[in-house]
Amino acid sequence: MRIATSNDIIDLSSEKKTEELAEKISNKIKLGDIIFLYGEIGVGKTTFIKHLINSFQKKNKLKITEVTSPTFNLLNEYKINLIKINHYDLFRIKSDKELINLNLFGESQDAITLIEWPQIIKEKPKDLIELEFQYKDDYKKRSVFIKGLNL
């Protein structure tokens, strides 16, 4: 079972800091992990995921690929050697009934599952990692609070 982090809020006011955090987290997560990413539009959830996936690609000496938000198709899958990453974006989902066909956690033991806009999910899985992205001050600064992962 994972140990929750302290109540520290991590500054992400530059993309470089976001990249550094994504690399650090990529060294801690493994197949079977499920990560919920909360936050307003434009706060950096997809940018974080891009750097996380690119970090796995670098470690595996693979070509760095473009990582985009799966807002319209709901899921982007990435295969990085033996690692499968499922990146969901539930922004357009209006009812928890719509989640049934997505089978969000059906193959979660064989993949790392990243879910943006998870608020619609009523039953959270055990051992969940949660990242809460926030704007600070006048929307120029960003931060993240991490729950369920000891850095």
Side-chain angles (χ1 to χ4, degrees), residues 2-39:
R2 296 191 180 279
I3 300 169
T5 58
S6 64
N7 291 336
D8 291 342
I9 294 175
I10 300 167
D11 175 46
L12 296 179
S13 54
S14 73
E15 189 163 344
K16 183 68 178 160
K17 288 182 180 185
T18 302
E19 183 178 5
E20 289 168 356
L21 178 64
E23 186 173 327
K24 192 173 191 179
I25 289 177
S26 76
N27 291 322
K28 297 280 187 175
I29 62 175
K30 62 187 179 343
L31 290 177
D33 283 341
I34 299 169
I35 302 175
F36 282 8
L37 297 97
Y38 300 92

Side-chain angles (χ1 to χ4, degrees), residues 2-102:
R2 296 191 180 279
I3 300 169
T5 58
S6 64
N7 291 336
D8 291 342
I9 294 175
I10 300 167
D11 175 46
L12 296 179
S13 54
S14 73
E15 189 163 344
K16 183 68 178 160
K17 288 182 180 185
T18 302
E19 183 178 5
E20 289 168 356
L21 178 64
E23 186 173 327
K24 192 173 191 179
I25 289 177
S26 76
N27 291 322
K28 297 280 187 175
I29 62 175
K30 62 187 179 343
L31 290 177
D33 283 341
I34 299 169
I35 302 175
F36 282 8
L37 297 97
Y38 300 92
E40 297 177 52
I41 290 176
V43 76
K45 298 179 301 292
T46 303
T47 299
F48 171 81
I49 289 172
K50 172 186 84 167
H51 288 299
L52 184 70
I53 290 169
N54 289 164
S55 179
F56 278 108
Q57 291 168 330
K58 287 177 199 172
K59 282 190 268 186
N60 285 278
K61 297 177 177 40
L62 298 173
K63 180 183 173 198
I64 302 302
T65 60
E66 183 177 359
V67 175
T68 59
S69 176
T71 301
F72 295 103
N73 54 346
L74 303 177
L75 169 65
N76 287 342
E77 295 178 332
Y78 300 88
K79 188 77 170 143
I80 304 167
N81 289 342
L82 298 176
I83 302 166
K84 180 179 178 185
I85 299 176
N86 292 328
H87 175 198
Y88 293 93
D89 185 324
L90 305 181
F91 182 75
R92 294 186 312 117
I93 302 293
K94 302 300 178 212
S95 160
D96 61 327
K97 290 180 176 78
E98 294 178 62
L99 296 174
I100 295 168
N101 292 335
L102 289 178

